[in-house]
Amino acid sequence: MPFRSVSVARFHFGGYDPGIHTTSVGITLAMDSLDPTALTDVAERVLAGIRGDSAEWSGLFSDTTKALNSAAALVGTGTHVISLHIGTATGDIAYIGTAFLMAMPHPMEGKQLVREEASFQMDGTWNRGSVLYTQTEATGSATGGATDGTNSSTAGGTYNVHIMRVSTGTVNVIWEAATTATGTYTVLASANITTVTGTILTVGSGTTIARFVRHRHTNTVAAGTFDIAAAFARV
């Protein structure tokens, strides 16, 4: 019977990586209902099918640049890339999307460690996908392992990349696909990144995403280091 320890879960928001400060994290895939009942109606009416996905995070307070505390200025500022990797191997389950940072309470008790919390409301839905590159301190160029989608698809897809640190250079993140694991990979989407950020790249409906997908990155400075994590989901 398969089990997965939460010690291998990785939570990322934009260019922030709570890392070892996390004590708990959870996501909710939910279906809300909209009540369009008017005063003149004789019975309650319910419009079903409205998604209300969300996420909750809590951990120990940290003032490092990659900690969520440093993201306080993002509360209510708009949508940002969000990911939950459940596992550290290529092909492990990941949930990805974009979200609003709604609140960041800081519960404190006397003589205890200072804690912080964060709640997120999805801008859309959580998309269930796969880990392409677990959080790593990278240098120069590298290619991740291939994840097998069983079949090709043409409904589209999304590629979430989190850059938590860039020492020098420009990082080029590349999303590729091929018909076989060791075949010729073609680029689905790419982006040049020079700063701490979260980036989401999309492939629209009608574009073929071949069966095998992988992440690749390069850096214009061979010795330049950066922290990176990536995942994708087919629509």
Side-chain angles (χ1 to χ4, degrees):
M1 181 179 296
F3 291 96
R4 183 58 58 91
S5 169
V6 295
S7 64
V8 297
R10 301 289 185 270
F11 182 73
H12 311 288
F13 177 69
Y16 299 93
D17 175 28
I20 60 175
H21 309 121
T22 300
T23 55
S24 68
V25 63
I27 65 174
T28 300
L29 284 69
M31 186 73 75
D32 292 338
S33 63
L34 180 64
D35 185 356
T37 308
L39 292 176
T40 55
D41 292 336
V42 297
E44 182 180 20
R45 300 168 57 212
V46 175
L47 178 63
I50 307 299
R51 288 291 292 270
D53 294 359
S54 62
E56 301 288 338
W57 177 91
S58 63
L60 303 177
F61 181 88
S62 171
D63 57 3
T64 62
T65 58
K66 292 186 290 183
L68 275 183
N69 171 64
S70 300
L74 300 183
V75 174
T77 61
T79 58
H80 302 275
V81 179
I82 191 170
S83 301
L84 175 63
H85 297 187
I86 307 177
T88 58
T90 299
D92 281 344
I93 298 299
Y95 288 91
I96 65 175
T98 55
F100 292 90
L101 176 55
M102 302 300 291
M104 292 188 69
H106 290 67
M108 305 181 199
E109 299 179 13
K111 298 182 180 180
Q112 300 295 320
L113 292 173
V114 177
R115 299 176 60 83
E116 60 180 336
E117 299 175 357
S119 60
F120 308 85
Q121 184 66 44
M122 299 301 295
D123 177 31
T125 66
W126 280 109
N127 297 310
R128 186 177 186 273
S130 301
V131 174
L132 287 183
Y133 210 78
T134 193
Q135 196 278 330
T136 304
E137 182 179 293
T139 302
S141 303
T143 300
T147 181
D148 187 353
T150 307
N151 296 294
S152 63
S153 61
T154 58
T158 57
Y159 170 57
N160 278 28
V161 179
H162 300 268
I163 302 287
M164 280 71 73
R165 178 179 61 89
V166 179
S167 63
T168 54
T170 297
V171 180
N172 182 221
V173 295
I174 306 156
W175 183 25
E176 302 178 317
T179 56
T180 64
T182 57
T184 301
Y185 281 80
T186 58
V187 176
L188 295 170
S190 64
N192 290 319
I193 300 173
T194 59
T195 187
V196 172
T197 188
T199 298
I200 185 167
L201 303 177
T202 62
V203 171
S205 176
T207 300
T208 298
I209 302 177
R211 173 176 173 175
F212 292 89
V213 174
R214 73 182 184 186
H215 159 90
R216 182 164 61 88
H217 59 252
T218 63
N219 194 344
T220 54
V221 177
T225 59
F226 47 96
D227 291 346
I228 189 170
F232 95 106
R234 298 175 190 264
V235 175

PDB file of all heavy atoms in Angstrom, residues 145-152 176-186 209-214 234:
ATOM      1  N   GLY A 145      14.484  14.968 -15.790  1.00  0.00           N
ATOM      2  CA  GLY A 145      14.027  13.699 -16.323  1.00  0.00           C
ATOM      3  C   GLY A 145      12.715  13.856 -17.074  1.00  0.00           C
ATOM      4  O   GLY A 145      12.009  14.856 -16.931  1.00  0.00           O
ATOM      5  N   ALA A 146      12.378  12.859 -17.862  1.00  0.00           N
ATOM      6  CA  ALA A 146      11.144  12.887 -18.651  1.00  0.00           C
ATOM      7  C   ALA A 146      10.001  12.273 -17.855  1.00  0.00           C
ATOM      8  O   ALA A 146      10.174  11.252 -17.190  1.00  0.00           O
ATOM      9  CB  ALA A 146      11.340  12.121 -19.948  1.00  0.00           C
ATOM     10  N   THR A 147       8.848  12.904 -17.923  1.00  0.00           N
ATOM     11  CA  THR A 147       7.654  12.351 -17.294  1.00  0.00           C
ATOM     12  C   THR A 147       6.714  11.844 -18.381  1.00  0.00           C
ATOM     13  O   THR A 147       6.510  12.506 -19.394  1.00  0.00           O
ATOM     14  CB  THR A 147       6.946  13.393 -16.404  1.00  0.00           C
ATOM     15  OG1 THR A 147       5.804  12.807 -15.794  1.00  0.00           O
ATOM     16  CG2 THR A 147       6.531  14.617 -17.177  1.00  0.00           C
ATOM     17  N   ASP A 148       6.163  10.659 -18.162  1.00  0.00           N
ATOM     18  CA  ASP A 148       5.370   9.960 -19.170  1.00  0.00           C
ATOM     19  C   ASP A 148       3.892  10.297 -19.008  1.00  0.00           C
ATOM     20  O   ASP A 148       3.284   9.984 -17.997  1.00  0.00           O
ATOM     21  CB  ASP A 148       5.596   8.451 -19.026  1.00  0.00           C
ATOM     22  CG  ASP A 148       4.941   7.648 -20.135  1.00  0.00           C
ATOM     23  OD1 ASP A 148       4.208   8.226 -20.953  1.00  0.00           O
ATOM     24  OD2 ASP A 148       5.186   6.429 -20.180  1.00  0.00           O
ATOM     25  N   GLY A 149       3.316  10.917 -20.035  1.00  0.00           N
ATOM     26  CA  GLY A 149       1.901  11.246 -20.000  1.00  0.00           C
ATOM     27  C   GLY A 149       1.013  10.180 -20.602  1.00  0.00           C
ATOM     28  O   GLY A 149      -0.175  10.412 -20.816  1.00  0.00           O
ATOM     29  N   THR A 150       1.582   9.014 -20.908  1.00  0.00           N
ATOM     30  CA  THR A 150       0.888   7.860 -21.491  1.00  0.00           C
ATOM     31  C   THR A 150       0.518   8.091 -22.958  1.00  0.00           C
ATOM     32  O   THR A 150       0.775   7.239 -23.817  1.00  0.00           O
ATOM     33  CB  THR A 150      -0.368   7.487 -20.699  1.00  0.00           C
ATOM     34  OG1 THR A 150      -0.026   7.319 -19.319  1.00  0.00           O
ATOM     35  CG2 THR A 150      -0.969   6.179 -21.219  1.00  0.00           C
ATOM     36  N   ASN A 151      -0.082   9.234 -23.248  1.00  0.00           N
ATOM     37  CA  ASN A 151      -0.439   9.581 -24.617  1.00  0.00           C
ATOM     38  C   ASN A 151      -0.164  11.059 -24.855  1.00  0.00           C
ATOM     39  O   ASN A 151      -0.001  11.841 -23.914  1.00  0.00           O
ATOM     40  CB  ASN A 151      -1.924   9.298 -24.889  1.00  0.00           C
ATOM     41  CG  ASN A 151      -2.266   7.818 -24.791  1.00  0.00           C
ATOM     42  OD1 ASN A 151      -1.801   7.017 -25.591  1.00  0.00           O
ATOM     43  ND2 ASN A 151      -3.062   7.469 -23.794  1.00  0.00           N
ATOM     44  N   SER A 152      -0.127  11.440 -26.116  1.00  0.00           N
ATOM     45  CA  SER A 152      -0.045  12.863 -26.432  1.00  0.00           C
ATOM     46  C   SER A 152      -1.410  13.504 -26.203  1.00  0.00           C
ATOM     47  O   SER A 152      -2.421  12.805 -26.055  1.00  0.00           O
ATOM     48  CB  SER A 152       0.395  13.061 -27.884  1.00  0.00           C
ATOM     49  OG  SER A 152      -0.573  12.520 -28.765  1.00  0.00           O
ATOM     50  N   GLU A 176       9.751  21.202 -22.749  1.00  0.00           N
ATOM     51  CA  GLU A 176       9.934  20.429 -23.969  1.00  0.00           C
ATOM     52  C   GLU A 176       9.106  19.152 -23.953  1.00  0.00           C
ATOM     53  O   GLU A 176       8.739  18.645 -22.892  1.00  0.00           O
ATOM     54  CB  GLU A 176      11.408  20.043 -24.140  1.00  0.00           C
ATOM     55  CG  GLU A 176      12.369  21.211 -24.192  1.00  0.00           C
ATOM     56  CD  GLU A 176      13.805  20.748 -24.313  1.00  0.00           C
ATOM     57  OE1 GLU A 176      14.183  19.783 -23.616  1.00  0.00           O
ATOM     58  OE2 GLU A 176      14.551  21.353 -25.090  1.00  0.00           O
ATOM     59  N   ALA A 177       8.861  18.613 -25.137  1.00  0.00           N
ATOM     60  CA  ALA A 177       8.123  17.349 -25.252  1.00  0.00           C
ATOM     61  C   ALA A 177       8.672  16.530 -26.399  1.00  0.00           C
ATOM     62  O   ALA A 177       9.226  17.068 -27.366  1.00  0.00           O
ATOM     63  CB  ALA A 177       6.637  17.613 -25.463  1.00  0.00           C
ATOM     64  N   ALA A 178       8.508  15.195 -26.274  1.00  0.00           N
ATOM     65  CA  ALA A 178       8.972  14.274 -27.314  1.00  0.00           C
ATOM     66  C   ALA A 178       8.069  13.043 -27.333  1.00  0.00           C
ATOM     67  O   ALA A 178       7.385  12.738 -26.351  1.00  0.00           O
ATOM     68  CB  ALA A 178      10.422  13.853 -27.073  1.00  0.00           C
ATOM     69  N   THR A 179       8.061  12.334 -28.437  1.00  0.00           N
ATOM     70  CA  THR A 179       7.207  11.152 -28.562  1.00  0.00           C
ATOM     71  C   THR A 179       7.761   9.954 -27.804  1.00  0.00           C
ATOM     72  O   THR A 179       7.009   9.045 -27.445  1.00  0.00           O
ATOM     73  CB  THR A 179       7.026  10.790 -30.038  1.00  0.00           C
ATOM     74  OG1 THR A 179       8.318  10.598 -30.646  1.00  0.00           O
ATOM     75  CG2 THR A 179       6.294  11.905 -30.782  1.00  0.00           C
ATOM     76  N   THR A 180       9.088   9.929 -27.565  1.00  0.00           N
ATOM     77  CA  THR A 180       9.702   8.879 -26.750  1.00  0.00           C
ATOM     78  C   THR A 180      10.603   9.530 -25.715  1.00  0.00           C
ATOM     79  O   THR A 180      11.044  10.675 -25.891  1.00  0.00           O
ATOM     80  CB  THR A 180      10.535   7.904 -27.609  1.00  0.00           C
ATOM     81  OG1 THR A 180      11.641   8.625 -28.206  1.00  0.00           O
ATOM     82  CG2 THR A 180       9.690   7.273 -28.698  1.00  0.00           C
ATOM     83  N   ALA A 181      10.898   8.801 -24.643  1.00  0.00           N
ATOM     84  CA  ALA A 181      11.674   9.374 -23.543  1.00  0.00           C
ATOM     85  C   ALA A 181      13.057   9.823 -23.987  1.00  0.00           C
ATOM     86  O   ALA A 181      13.609  10.800 -23.462  1.00  0.00           O
ATOM     87  CB  ALA A 181      11.789   8.367 -22.404  1.00  0.00           C
ATOM     88  N   THR A 182      13.637   9.120 -24.950  1.00  0.00           N
ATOM     89  CA  THR A 182      14.991   9.446 -25.399  1.00  0.00           C
ATOM     90  C   THR A 182      14.992  10.039 -26.810  1.00  0.00           C
ATOM     91  O   THR A 182      16.031  10.115 -27.453  1.00  0.00           O
ATOM     92  CB  THR A 182      15.879   8.190 -25.377  1.00  0.00           C
ATOM     93  OG1 THR A 182      15.276   7.171 -26.198  1.00  0.00           O
ATOM     94  CG2 THR A 182      16.038   7.661 -23.961  1.00  0.00           C
ATOM     95  N   GLY A 183      13.832  10.463 -27.267  1.00  0.00           N
ATOM     96  CA  GLY A 183      13.714  10.994 -28.619  1.00  0.00           C
ATOM     97  C   GLY A 183      14.130  12.453 -28.727  1.00  0.00           C
ATOM     98  O   GLY A 183      14.731  13.024 -27.813  1.00  0.00           O
ATOM     99  N   THR A 184      13.795  13.049 -29.850  1.00  0.00           N
ATOM    100  CA  THR A 184      14.115  14.452 -30.093  1.00  0.00           C
ATOM    101  C   THR A 184      13.053  15.348 -29.454  1.00  0.00           C
ATOM    102  O   THR A 184      11.875  15.240 -29.777  1.00  0.00           O
ATOM    103  CB  THR A 184      14.178  14.740 -31.602  1.00  0.00           C
ATOM    104  OG1 THR A 184      15.188  13.905 -32.189  1.00  0.00           O
ATOM    105  CG2 THR A 184      14.517  16.203 -31.858  1.00  0.00           C
ATOM    106  N   TYR A 185      13.490  16.203 -28.554  1.00  0.00           N
ATOM    107  CA  TYR A 185      12.556  17.082 -27.838  1.00  0.00           C
ATOM    108  C   TYR A 185      12.397  18.412 -28.571  1.00  0.00           C
ATOM    109  O   TYR A 185      13.373  18.997 -29.053  1.00  0.00           O
ATOM    110  CB  TYR A 185      13.046  17.329 -26.408  1.00  0.00           C
ATOM    111  CG  TYR A 185      12.745  16.186 -25.475  1.00  0.00           C
ATOM    112  CD1 TYR A 185      13.556  15.045 -25.460  1.00  0.00           C
ATOM    113  CD2 TYR A 185      11.646  16.216 -24.629  1.00  0.00           C
ATOM    114  CE1 TYR A 185      13.271  13.985 -24.623  1.00  0.00           C
ATOM    115  CE2 TYR A 185      11.363  15.156 -23.774  1.00  0.00           C
ATOM    116  CZ  TYR A 185      12.181  14.051 -23.785  1.00  0.00           C
ATOM    117  OH  TYR A 185      11.889  12.990 -22.959  1.00  0.00           O
ATOM    118  N   THR A 186      11.162  18.862 -28.657  1.00  0.00           N
ATOM    119  CA  THR A 186      10.865  20.165 -29.240  1.00  0.00           C
ATOM    120  C   THR A 186      10.336  21.089 -28.149  1.00  0.00           C
ATOM    121  O   THR A 186       9.720  20.645 -27.174  1.00  0.00           O
ATOM    122  CB  THR A 186       9.818  20.053 -30.361  1.00  0.00           C
ATOM    123  OG1 THR A 186       8.619  19.455 -29.829  1.00  0.00           O
ATOM    124  CG2 THR A 186      10.343  19.175 -31.491  1.00  0.00           C
ATOM    125  N   ILE A 209       0.927  18.342 -27.356  1.00  0.00           N
ATOM    126  CA  ILE A 209       1.915  18.093 -26.304  1.00  0.00           C
ATOM    127  C   ILE A 209       2.211  16.603 -26.355  1.00  0.00           C
ATOM    128  O   ILE A 209       1.351  15.783 -26.031  1.00  0.00           O
ATOM    129  CB  ILE A 209       1.383  18.488 -24.917  1.00  0.00           C
ATOM    130  CG1 ILE A 209       0.990  19.965 -24.891  1.00  0.00           C
ATOM    131  CG2 ILE A 209       2.438  18.207 -23.848  1.00  0.00           C
ATOM    132  CD1 ILE A 209       0.391  20.412 -23.576  1.00  0.00           C
ATOM    133  N   ALA A 210       3.397  16.253 -26.801  1.00  0.00           N
ATOM    134  CA  ALA A 210       3.753  14.854 -26.978  1.00  0.00           C
ATOM    135  C   ALA A 210       3.740  14.094 -25.651  1.00  0.00           C
ATOM    136  O   ALA A 210       3.655  14.691 -24.572  1.00  0.00           O
ATOM    137  CB  ALA A 210       5.112  14.739 -27.652  1.00  0.00           C
ATOM    138  N   ARG A 211       3.843  12.790 -25.751  1.00  0.00           N
ATOM    139  CA  ARG A 211       3.680  11.919 -24.582  1.00  0.00           C
ATOM    140  C   ARG A 211       4.677  12.228 -23.462  1.00  0.00           C
ATOM    141  O   ARG A 211       4.308  12.248 -22.287  1.00  0.00           O
ATOM    142  CB  ARG A 211       3.829  10.460 -25.035  1.00  0.00           C
ATOM    143  CG  ARG A 211       3.848   9.460 -23.901  1.00  0.00           C
ATOM    144  CD  ARG A 211       3.910   8.042 -24.427  1.00  0.00           C
ATOM    145  NE  ARG A 211       4.093   7.072 -23.341  1.00  0.00           N
ATOM    146  CZ  ARG A 211       4.089   5.746 -23.506  1.00  0.00           C
ATOM    147  NH1 ARG A 211       3.915   5.240 -24.715  1.00  0.00           N
ATOM    148  NH2 ARG A 211       4.259   4.956 -22.462  1.00  0.00           N
ATOM    149  N   PHE A 212       5.941  12.466 -23.788  1.00  0.00           N
ATOM    150  CA  PHE A 212       6.972  12.686 -22.766  1.00  0.00           C
ATOM    151  C   PHE A 212       7.302  14.172 -22.667  1.00  0.00           C
ATOM    152  O   PHE A 212       7.516  14.838 -23.678  1.00  0.00           O
ATOM    153  CB  PHE A 212       8.228  11.879 -23.092  1.00  0.00           C
ATOM    154  CG  PHE A 212       8.032  10.398 -22.977  1.00  0.00           C
ATOM    155  CD1 PHE A 212       7.589   9.662 -24.061  1.00  0.00           C
ATOM    156  CD2 PHE A 212       8.262   9.748 -21.776  1.00  0.00           C
ATOM    157  CE1 PHE A 212       7.388   8.296 -23.960  1.00  0.00           C
ATOM    158  CE2 PHE A 212       8.063   8.373 -21.658  1.00  0.00           C
ATOM    159  CZ  PHE A 212       7.623   7.643 -22.751  1.00  0.00           C
ATOM    160  N   VAL A 213       7.336  14.677 -21.439  1.00  0.00           N
ATOM    161  CA  VAL A 213       7.574  16.090 -21.192  1.00  0.00           C
ATOM    162  C   VAL A 213       8.730  16.230 -20.203  1.00  0.00           C
ATOM    163  O   VAL A 213       8.883  15.419 -19.285  1.00  0.00           O
ATOM    164  CB  VAL A 213       6.306  16.765 -20.620  1.00  0.00           C
ATOM    165  CG1 VAL A 213       6.580  18.192 -20.211  1.00  0.00           C
ATOM    166  CG2 VAL A 213       5.184  16.722 -21.651  1.00  0.00           C
ATOM    167  N   ARG A 214       9.538  17.278 -20.389  1.00  0.00           N
ATOM    168  CA  ARG A 214      10.641  17.506 -19.452  1.00  0.00           C
ATOM    169  C   ARG A 214      10.926  18.999 -19.306  1.00  0.00           C
ATOM    170  O   ARG A 214      10.477  19.824 -20.106  1.00  0.00           O
ATOM    171  CB  ARG A 214      11.909  16.790 -19.916  1.00  0.00           C
ATOM    172  CG  ARG A 214      12.589  17.422 -21.123  1.00  0.00           C
ATOM    173  CD  ARG A 214      13.814  16.626 -21.553  1.00  0.00           C
ATOM    174  NE  ARG A 214      14.516  17.288 -22.665  1.00  0.00           N
ATOM    175  CZ  ARG A 214      15.548  16.771 -23.321  1.00  0.00           C
ATOM    176  NH1 ARG A 214      15.988  15.554 -22.989  1.00  0.00           N
ATOM    177  NH2 ARG A 214      16.133  17.437 -24.298  1.00  0.00           N
ATOM    178  N   ARG A 234      -1.302  18.860 -17.883  1.00  0.00           N
ATOM    179  CA  ARG A 234      -2.066  18.874 -19.117  1.00  0.00           C
ATOM    180  C   ARG A 234      -3.497  19.278 -18.786  1.00  0.00           C
ATOM    181  O   ARG A 234      -4.015  18.945 -17.728  1.00  0.00           O
ATOM    182  CB  ARG A 234      -2.070  17.490 -19.782  1.00  0.00           C
ATOM    183  CG  ARG A 234      -0.703  16.983 -20.200  1.00  0.00           C
ATOM    184  CD  ARG A 234      -0.771  15.576 -20.737  1.00  0.00           C
ATOM    185  NE  ARG A 234       0.546  14.992 -20.924  1.00  0.00           N
ATOM    186  CZ  ARG A 234       1.197  14.980 -22.081  1.00  0.00           C
ATOM    187  NH1 ARG A 234       0.621  15.484 -23.158  1.00  0.00           N
ATOM    188  NH2 ARG A 234       2.408  14.447 -22.176  1.00  0.00           N
TER     189      ARG A 234
END
